[in-house]
Amino acid sequence: QVQLMQSGGGSVEAGDSLTLSCLASRRIADSHSMAWFRLTPKGRQAVAAIGPNGDPILYADSVKGRFTASLDKAKNTLYLQMNTLKPEDTAVYLCAARGGRFSRGWEFRDEWYAYWGQGTQVTVSS
């Protein structure tokens, strides 16, 4: 069992930056895949996925070049650095994890992940 505790988020203006954190209750960086998703009125969207030990790191097309996912193994923490935020990035962001490495094609499928954070709101105004 793994608990994921999120922090960060808030309300910013377009063009600003935010960093989200996802702290795991135990060491999982070398054995679990992790991911960021976001909930919008259109549904749950994948943002980024990261394999065990931070390899590979994959991004949804909508955030490539603006968002950076990273893993601090010593702190058992997954981060999402979000730059050049846009109003369409407004959502509840969730981190997720599952033991093992995702198969290609499954990294952005929310049904593959077993553990979820509580979610954090990000609001971007124009």
Side-chain angles (χ1 to χ4, degrees), residues 21-41:
S21 301
C22 176
L23 171 66
S25 57
R26 61 180 177 85
R27 177 175 176 154
I28 63 171
D30 52 359
S31 60
H32 285 57
S33 297
M34 300 184 77
W36 288 102
F37 289 82
R38 61 189 182 187
L39 284 172
T40 74

Side-chain angles (χ1 to χ4, degrees), residues 101-120:
R101 182 184 300 277
F102 46 69
S103 299
R104 290 304 297 267
W106 281 85
E107 64 274 8
F108 290 154
R109 297 181 67 165
D110 55 3
E111 65 266 35
W112 187 81
Y113 293 89
Y115 309 109
W116 291 86
Q118 81 276 18
T120 186

Side-chain angles (χ1 to χ4, degrees), residues 1-70:
Q1 192 68 264
V2 178
Q3 283 78 48
L4 302 175
M5 181 61 67
Q6 295 181 226
S7 60
S11 297
V12 297
E13 295 184 351
D16 286 350
S17 298
L18 276 176
T19 300
L20 306 181
S21 301
C22 176
L23 171 66
S25 57
R26 61 180 177 85
R27 177 175 176 154
I28 63 171
D30 52 359
S31 60
H32 285 57
S33 297
M34 300 184 77
W36 288 102
F37 289 82
R38 61 189 182 187
L39 284 172
T40 74
K42 296 182 180 179
R44 187 177 293 182
Q45 303 171 358
V47 175
I50 186 165
N53 292 307
D55 179 35
I57 303 178
L58 305 171
Y59 296 96
D61 289 342
S62 58
V63 304
K64 277 182 183 176
R66 299 189 298 122
F67 290 13
T68 302
S70 61

